[in-house]
Amino acid sequence: MNVGITDFESIIKAGYDNIAGIVVMQSGEKVYEGYFDGHTAEDTIHIVHP
């Protein structure tokens, strides 16, 4: 796995217990999808968009 991604996931797990998942899109393509604390893509969660 990419070291940058591993570091990113470690930061999320250690300091952001309110994040269920993150999806990153670039030019219409999904480049990263990760879920935390036992959450999955099938979970229903509240989405906050600035």
Side-chain angles (χ1 to χ4, degrees):
M1 179 178 282
N2 183 309
V3 173
I5 296 297
T6 302
D7 290 345
F8 169 73
E9 289 178 341
S10 294
I11 292 167
I12 297 299
K13 290 174 185 175
Y16 297 89
D17 61 353
N18 63 335
I19 294 179
I22 297 175
V23 176
V24 177
M25 305 289 289
Q26 183 177 29
S27 301
E29 301 282 329
K30 183 170 36 178
V31 295
Y32 173 81
E33 182 173 9
Y35 298 93
F36 307 94
D37 292 329
H39 292 280
T40 70
E42 287 76 38
D43 289 336
T44 302
I45 58 173
H46 176 74
I47 304 295
V48 176
H49 186 278

